[in-house]
Amino acid sequence: MKEELETIRKNALESIGSTKAGADLEAIRVKYLGKKGELTAVLKQMGSLAAEMRPIMGQMANDVRASVEEAIEAQSAVLEQRAMEARLRREAVDVTIPGKKLTVGHKHPMYTVLDEIKDIFISMGFEILDGPEVELADYNFTRLNTPEDHPAREWSDTFYLKEDSSILLRTQTSNMQIRAMETRPLPIRVMAPGRVYRKDEVDATHSPMFHQIEGLVVDKGVTMGDLKGTLNAVIRQIYGPNTVTRFRPHHFPFTEPSCEMDIQCHKCGGVGCPTCKGEGWIEVLGAGMVHPKVLSGCGIDPEVYSGFAFGMGLERLALGRFKISDMRLIFENDVRFLNQF
Ligand code: DAH
């Protein structure tokens, strides 16, 4: 029995020393010390020993158990330490590698201009509206007094989404006039910026998608004088207090009378230069008094209420503001260009 115990000790300690994982240690513990383990099996034979040998063998068995347990514990500590070292090696961070530079973006120059313009209108008591770019022809044309046979509705000018021409990508933000009158209580004072779409070829001053800003005021006693006063105030805040403006008669189906507003060329002071194409003036927006048919179509009595409306191109404003000569630069999103602003 003594030899048996010694063999158990020797074998157990050897296999413990060569383990590589915690699970192996557990298997060894079960193999030798478990209920059905080798040491337990030896202890079961104690009954067959002479009485005086029992305490001696008992003592020895306890020694074996203790030394196996100790060895397991020590090896377990060694394995843990090894695992930790391996992990540290695996997850090592090289703090000497130079960091990656994060480039922080900034607002697109056109939206900088738009935010300025919004602030101007908000300071004048206007509400800012957002509206659909996919629109019913009814809102984009018909209810703006632009009937079926109007040239602006040509297939060659407009992106229709349905064969029957009932749904389209809006060609102007003027659709928001109707939507505002339908949803807002009187008096109305709104401005609505957004994208519009036309079948135009791309060149220095055209793009099939561009931005407009629509404005609408409806109240009792609104006159052409209010239109001129408001637009002069807005344009002078955008282009500077000494900006010279003029209003030229024009035609739009949904306003009567209609006009276009020009600013005197800031480059040449009105003499004529390449910037103003020799005109001395630069057109900045279309405007007019809301047509009585448009008002009554929205359930507003034109005998009681009147209003003015205007629409301007945002890209053109941004080009003028930052002295950019080609509209394509606004859309191309070349960061070398955009980073200048
Ligand atoms: N929607 C017109 C266009 O795209 C611009 C315009 C003209 C808007 C007169 C208006 C307006 O509100 O009153 O050419």
Side-chain angles (χ1 to χ4, degrees):
M1 181 170 251
K2 196 175 164 205
E3 288 76 57
E4 268 177 89
L5 285 172
E6 277 309 334
T7 312
I8 288 176
R9 188 205 302 267
K10 188 168 158 279
N11 290 347
L13 294 189
E14 257 173 35
S15 47
I16 288 168
S18 61
T19 50
K20 295 209 162 60
D24 301 341
L25 280 179
E26 180 55 18
I28 290 168
R29 202 189 58 74
V30 172
K31 179 171 183 227
Y32 294 100
L33 309 181
K35 268 195 189 130
K36 292 178 184 152
E38 290 182 19
L39 185 67
T40 320
V42 173
L43 287 176
K44 279 183 185 150
Q45 303 164 26
M46 289 283 256
S48 64
L49 287 179
E52 68 274 19
M53 283 305 285
R54 280 184 209 154
I56 298 169
M57 283 299 119
Q59 178 62 44
M60 193 173 167
N62 280 344
D63 281 354
V64 171
R65 172 182 292 277
S67 59
V68 171
E69 274 172 354
E70 234 169 67
I72 287 179
E73 216 156 282
Q75 179 69 1
S76 161
V78 168
L79 291 180
E80 256 170 50
Q81 176 70 19
R82 264 190 223 152
M84 172 64 88
E85 276 162 14
R87 191 170 157 202
L88 286 176
R89 246 176 281 122
R90 206 167 51 239
E91 296 179 0
V93 174
D94 183 351
V95 292
T96 64
I97 292 175
K100 278 190 195 134
K101 196 172 161 205
L102 289 182
T103 41
V104 180
H106 63 84
K107 212 180 281 172
H108 189 286
M110 201 180 64
Y111 281 88
T112 308
V113 173
L114 177 57
D115 282 351
E116 278 173 25
I117 296 171
K118 278 185 184 170
D119 281 347
I120 295 169
F121 279 104
I122 288 170
S123 76
M124 296 174 102
F126 282 65
E127 182 188 357
I128 313 283
L129 292 189
D130 201 9
E133 289 169 29
V134 173
E135 183 57 290
L136 296 169
D138 239 16
Y139 286 83
N140 192 84
F141 291 130
T142 317
R143 297 182 65 184
L144 287 163
N145 196 31
T146 310
E148 297 266 353
D149 54 0
H150 194 280
R153 300 181 69 142
E154 289 283 324
W155 273 83
S156 52
D157 289 340
T158 299
F159 293 108
Y160 288 98
L161 301 183
K162 283 191 99 170
E163 296 278 323
D164 64 5
S165 316
S166 60
I167 298 180
L168 44 80
L169 294 179
R170 67 175 173 187
T171 62
Q172 50 185 356
T173 47
S174 303
N175 65 324
M176 293 307 293
Q177 292 188 30
I178 307 300
R179 292 192 172 272
M181 287 190 272
E182 267 188 355
T183 57
R184 292 296 182 276
L186 292 161
I188 292 168
R189 232 186 268 150
V190 296
M191 88 76 120
R195 291 192 186 88
V196 301
Y197 302 84
R198 294 180 195 178
K199 281 193 178 172
D200 280 330
E201 293 295 329
V202 176
D203 67 22
T205 52
H206 291 87
S207 156
M209 186 284 294
F210 58 102
H211 295 71
Q212 287 189 332
I213 298 172
E214 194 77 13
L216 173 71
V217 171
V218 181
D219 201 349
K220 287 178 180 157
V222 174
T223 69
M224 195 84 185
D226 296 314
L227 179 159
K228 291 175 75 172
T230 306
L231 292 179
N232 272 330
V234 168
I235 288 301
R236 286 186 184 133
Q237 287 199 59
I238 299 172
Y239 287 99
N242 300 322
T243 308
V244 180
T245 63
R246 75 174 182 190
F247 291 84
R248 243 181 325 103
H250 200 77
H251 172 264
F252 295 105
F254 41 89
T255 44
E256 183 59 35
S258 304
C259 61
E260 281 191 327
M261 184 184 189
D262 299 335
I263 58 170
Q264 199 170 62
C265 180
H266 34 77
K267 247 305 176 29
C268 64
V271 187
C273 70
T275 301
C276 58
K277 298 195 182 96
E279 295 283 322
W281 296 88
I282 298 168
E283 178 218 316
V284 288
L285 57 83
M289 300 304 293
V290 182
H291 198 292
K293 273 194 184 169
V294 174
L295 288 175
S296 55
C298 292
I300 297 171
D301 186 350
E303 297 296 330
V304 183
Y305 285 92
S306 57
F308 69 81
F310 55 90
M312 50 184 142
L314 179 55
E315 282 80 3
R316 187 179 295 187
L317 274 173
L319 294 184
R321 177 71 162 37
F322 292 118
K323 315 244 180 309
I324 303 166
S325 55
D326 193 322
M327 185 154 90
R328 284 168 287 199
L329 290 166
I330 296 263
F331 300 119
E332 277 168 356
N333 286 333
D334 184 334
V335 285
R336 290 170 304 178
F337 166 74
L338 295 175
N339 280 340
Q340 299 172 65
F341 304 97

